[in-house]
Amino acid sequence: MRPTLSLLPGLLALLALPAVAAEPTLDACLATLRPQALAQGVDGATWDTHTAGLVRDPGVLDSLDYQPEFRTAIWDYLAGLVDDQRVADGRAMLAEHADLLQQVQARHGVDPATVVAVWGVESDYGRTFGSKPLLGSLATLSCEGRRQAFFRGELFATLRLIASGDLSADGLVGSWAGAFGHTQFMPSTYARIAVDFDGDGRRDLVGSVPDALASTANYLRRAGWRPGQPWGHEVRLPDGFDASVNGRQSRRPLSHWVGRGVVRADGQPLAAADTPAALLLPAGREGPAFLVFKNYDAIYSYNAAESYALAIALLADRLRGGDGLQARWPTDDPGLSRAERRELQALLVARGHDIGAVDGMIGARSRAALAIEQARLGREADGRAGQAILAALRSEAAAPAETPPAETPPVDSLPVEPPPAR
Ligand code: CA
């Protein structure tokens, strides 16, 4: 007998009873999708086995409709993704997998630093695959929300990968939208692009580092990667430079830029060749400038965002031993590394804020706590995690005795400590 699920969904989900925890609406929807799945090559037994007991996840629907009101500045985004920790970890990966990466380059034409940089940005070198049960997310998005047809295709692709033996369904987790594994491919991309590099007959981007790194290289190559060429360079623009022509789509021959006085920021020569090159000014004329080539477009195609492509390109340069950006971002309050974000969160916890885990991820609760502290300190209460608020809280915590003794009341007259801000 089935209990009345509508009364107890939260409790049942909490008890994690897979046989009874599915929402009736998801079961009913999946039943209607079964013929469509079979028509698209999903084996009936696979469908029945792996859609039984899936749990509706309303959280993924929230993510689908989330309009970010907190826009991340490029310097904040890069400070977290290209920090010393990710550079050190990436250099360790380059050493640990040197032979493998050389074989990947020989077969797919993409250099080790680029492959490892994608790995580091996508899953922190295999540490973070996502927190959502993959099939539950895709089933929910196939039955509700704005893009059901798209997500049904992804659900069916996942089940075909399971049926073919490439993927194991056990413990399969991903992002809310269904990207998963070392390379965070969507299932349909996985089906098209993944390669079996360790030779066990399975294309396994969850359990096999060789398969994952070779698949990343295969993706970039198919996106137009040109072996042996750079993604681009940080450049310096001459005084009075007309920067009205910029953006990834506005390509000009490299000689066009050289002729107008553009030079590499590191002082190396810039060949006056015909190579198509575009000028990027991610923070406008006052911030760092870049000339980017075809390989930048290949990286861009991985996730279709300038900030993302720049993070991978700049991390790859650091992994090759580069010093990082020469120009400064146009801000007097630069962004924080993940280590600094954890320090900031620990300072918030020490002041009594309940922000959840000190994990270096500045979420809604951390931002709310930051806004309270900023207001207390007479700063703009925008909830942003930057160097200024970190420095202020750090110096306060380090020097509580800075308060002039004369203003400190006798101990027995101290007021009762107010409840910590939350
Ligand atoms: Ca394999």
Side-chain angles (χ1 to χ4, degrees), residues 196-204 208 211:
D196 170 27
F197 203 78
D198 61 14
D200 70 350
R202 301 170 57 223
R203 304 181 299 159
D204 183 359
S208 167
D211 288 7

Side-chain angles (χ1 to χ4, degrees), residues 210-225:
D211 288 7
L213 299 186
S215 297
T216 292
N218 189 40
Y219 184 99
L220 292 170
R221 188 64 187 271
R222 293 221 202 171
W225 185 269

Side-chain angles (χ1 to χ4, degrees), residues 84-98 101 116 119 125 127 319:
D84 289 346
Q85 184 187 344
R86 210 178 306 264
V87 173
D89 290 347
R91 287 181 181 160
M93 292 297 153
L94 282 174
E96 182 180 340
H97 299 289
L101 288 160
V116 169
W119 189 22
Y125 312 107
R127 289 194 186 92
L319 295 181

